[in-house]
Amino acid sequence: MPGPLVAVLDYGIGNLRSAEKALRHVGADARLTADPALVARADGVVLPGVGNFGACMRALDEHGLVAPVHAAVGSGRPFLAICVGLQLLYERSEESPGVAGLGVLPGEVRWLPEDVRRPQMQWNRLRIVRPDPALEGIGEAPWMYFVHSLAVVPAPAGEADVVATCDYGGDVVAAVRRDNVLATQFHPEKSAEDGLRILAHWVASCGGGR
């Protein structure tokens, strides 16, 4: 029996196959799609993202996926955002002034400090600041792979969403959780066994398959 149906949103940005392949590896029936009907019936939805905040928001809109994202989040089904996908959930980004984000979470995206190399393109240790089911079994300071030049800064109303940070010129938000929404700045699909373990936990939360 196939695992839970997971819609990996395909909006023409970057290489999304690695996320799809990793999700399949841990048991999901993962499918790259821009079909709102498939997104609506999926057991879980994944919003990957690489590149420029504004370009990603425009591509989401051009592919007709903004409303399906909001519907998926509002449905209570497991929703996972990765890298720029995490950033898109917030209200705005310094990278693309005047471009509104999805506004699912309160806060904005800011450039990493000028005194560190941008992008952060390296393995870095997580500091888990509150327990989360997806982070179980990965230890207290697991290594994850990051590629980003900006990071989210939650508004006061969103500070409690932070579940993990890393140290890169100061505390950088590495993962957030609000209800059914889990989002990571790092790439779990590129983070070896611990990253796959996070994806496996998330896929398990999507249900028993069909």
Side-chain angles (χ1 to χ4, degrees):
M1 182 175 71
L5 176 61
V6 171
V8 181
L9 300 182
D10 183 1
Y11 55 110
I13 294 291
N15 176 18
L16 309 181
R17 292 283 178 191
S18 58
E20 179 195 35
K21 287 180 180 179
L23 288 160
R24 287 184 175 178
H25 180 76
V26 297
D29 178 11
R31 305 184 197 179
L32 278 178
T33 184
D35 179 4
L38 193 153
V39 176
R41 66 183 177 88
D43 300 306
V45 177
V46 179
L47 174 61
V50 294
N52 178 273
F53 180 96
C56 286
M57 277 304 307
R58 284 191 294 272
L60 265 183
D61 186 44
E62 289 167 0
H63 284 75
L65 289 171
V66 171
V69 165
H70 282 289
V73 169
S75 73
R77 288 172 292 155
F79 189 97
L80 172 65
I82 298 171
C83 196
V84 176
L86 159 66
Q87 298 177 11
L88 297 178
L89 296 179
Y90 286 81
E91 297 167 284
R92 66 190 71 86
S93 174
E94 289 183 343
E95 184 175 32
S96 303
V99 177
L102 292 165
V104 170
L105 299 174
E108 63 182 8
V109 183
R110 298 179 188 168
W111 291 102
L112 291 170
E114 292 184 358
D115 58 351
V116 297
R117 181 176 295 178
R118 299 191 304 217
Q120 175 181 202
M121 187 181 299
Q122 64 176 22
W123 292 82
N124 202 341
R125 284 188 179 274
L126 294 189
R127 182 172 73 91
I128 297 174
V129 297
R130 70 179 177 94
D132 188 87
L135 304 183
E136 290 181 2
I138 62 172
E140 296 182 358
W143 291 94
M144 295 292 157
Y145 188 69
F146 291 80
V147 183
H148 65 119
S149 295
L150 300 97
V152 300
V153 179
E159 289 176 354
D161 299 334
V162 177
V163 296
T165 64
C166 69
D167 181 12
Y168 196 69
D171 268 352
V172 172
V173 173
V176 298
R177 159 81 75 176
R178 176 173 287 197
D179 300 326
N180 58 310
V181 176
L182 172 68
T184 66
Q185 183 61 70
F186 58 89
H187 286 270
E189 77 280 10
K190 298 179 180 179
S191 296
E193 290 185 8
D194 283 335
L196 290 177
R197 188 169 287 112
I198 291 171
L199 292 180
H201 287 320
W202 183 82
V203 167
S205 77
C206 295
R210 53 191 66 205

